[in-house]
Amino acid sequence: MKPETTAARLANKVALVTGGSRGIGEAIAIRLAAEGASVAITYTSAKEKAEAVVKSIEAAGGRALAIKADSGDAAEVKNAVDETVRALGALDILVNNAGVAIMAPLDEFKLEDFDRTFAVNVRGVFVASQEASRHMKEGGRIIIIGSTNADRMPFPGGSVYAMSKAAVAGLTKGLARDLGPRGITVTNVQPGPVNTDMNPETGPFAESLKKLMAIDRYGKGEEIAAFVAFLASAEAAYITGSSLTIDGGFGA
Ligand SMILES: NC(=O)c1ccc[n+]([C@@H]2O[C@H](COP(=O)([O-])OP(=O)(O)OC[C@H]3O[C@@H](n4cnc5c(N)ncnc54)[C@H](OP(=O)(O)O)[C@@H]3O)[C@@H](O)[C@H]2O)c1
């Protein structure tokens, strides 16, 4: 889906999107680049897919870079931020998108999966935000991709995922206070079900989830990306500390 905007709202901005090789992160990277930003993405395993995202941005006349960095590893996250600044000259927009969704019945939930969820979905977001904020100037943007599951977890097995997304909603409020005086905003985008590898619209949860939504379909990565691009723009300068839901009425 081609963005409908014509103005290059993000011209001369540099963005880093964690987990940008597939799914929502890919759509965000492509949208930010289409609006004029130079974009770095991280990935852990899908190297070819990450390179394909870079090529498609370059083919459209943009500037992009793929960096292998596990959000669960603080040194790799810091390196990804620093590499973005070295290669693209600055960092104005951080999109903390990388996440894992490990679901299992309570009795079977492994503590290593608890730790991995927390390391990627929460600690990785904190580390990236801390490191990115060191480079950001006034007008900087930190955007977190949380989940509507922070507010509503409609089936069993998702307690740890829901916890991680509720944690970043709290983190958003605190970071907004830390960074507001410097003119940097922090927002938490909470999607409902979006058709990706993590949650395919033909997957095991799809039919039960669709019944809970006001709009009878899954969301598209491009719809989340359009919202993120607005939050990254100058027009969104007065939105901070907020968790903003985009869920087809899932929580209505
Ligand atoms: N899909 C939904 O319904 C939905 C709803 C609400 C919120 N969300 C949130 O939206 C975000 C993106 O979800 P998605 O559905 O697009 O997921 P996805 O289809 O599984 O894609 C995840 C992306 O993140 C990368 N990634 C995974 N683990 C990583 C790690 N440890 N470090 C760095 N990159 C990593 C993946 O690349 P590699 O495989 O190469 O690592 C891939 O690019 C997540 O935070 C998720 O919780 C999704």
Side-chain angles (χ1 to χ4, degrees):
M1 193 166 84
K2 208 159 175 265
E4 283 175 6
T5 47
T6 47
R9 276 194 297 195
L10 305 178
N12 304 318
K13 300 288 184 190
V14 174
L16 169 61
V17 182
T18 65
S21 60
R22 296 184 281 119
I24 295 171
E26 174 185 6
I28 292 170
I30 288 173
R31 174 74 189 228
L32 298 184
E35 298 216 24
S38 299
V39 180
I41 60 171
T42 66
Y43 66 97
T44 55
S45 58
K47 184 167 194 261
E48 299 73 30
K49 291 191 175 175
E51 280 168 1
V53 173
V54 168
K55 285 212 175 79
S56 100
I57 290 173
E58 287 173 346
R63 207 165 156 220
L65 165 76
I67 305 165
K68 188 172 190 303
D70 182 343
S71 286
D73 182 316
E76 290 186 18
V77 171
K78 284 185 193 168
N79 181 61
V81 170
D82 297 343
E83 179 62 27
T84 301
V85 175
R86 259 195 309 275
L88 301 177
L91 182 54
D92 306 290
I93 302 158
L94 169 68
V95 184
N96 285 295
N97 165 78
V100 292
I102 307 174
M103 310 274 170
L106 180 60
D107 277 354
E108 293 162 27
F109 205 95
K110 299 190 187 90
L111 278 186
E112 48 273 36
D113 289 339
F114 182 105
D115 291 342
R116 178 71 181 154
T117 303
F118 200 83
V120 175
N121 293 10
V122 183
R123 190 169 177 265
V125 174
F126 177 79
V127 173
S129 303
Q130 185 183 48
E131 191 66 12
S133 71
R134 296 190 169 116
H135 298 279
M136 281 183 181
K137 299 199 214 60
E138 184 167 355
R141 299 278 184 268
I142 295 176
I143 298 161
I144 298 171
I145 307 302
S147 170
T148 192
N149 289 140
D151 298 329
R152 186 181 202 205
M153 175 44 81
F155 48 76
S159 61
V160 174
Y161 180 72
M163 169 209 72
S164 73
K165 296 304 187 178
V168 294
L171 180 64
T172 299
K173 294 176 204 257
L175 290 178
R177 294 283 179 189
D178 287 330
L179 298 172
R182 289 175 49 198
I184 297 169
T185 67
V186 187
T187 47
N188 178 37
V189 173
Q190 300 193 141
V194 178
N195 183 29
T196 66
D197 294 342
M198 180 187 278
N199 184 10
E201 63 188 356
T202 51
F205 303 113
E207 281 318 307
S208 54
L209 285 175
K210 274 190 224 161
K211 285 191 193 119
L212 299 173
M213 284 147 63
I215 295 174
D216 183 26
R217 65 165 175 87
Y218 266 43
K220 301 173 189 158
E222 290 86 347
E223 289 170 323
I224 309 303
F227 192 40
V228 167
F230 165 68
L231 292 173
S233 75
E235 286 172 301
Y238 202 56
I239 305 174
T240 197
S242 313
S243 288
L244 303 154
T245 295
I246 170 166
D247 71 348
F250 177 79

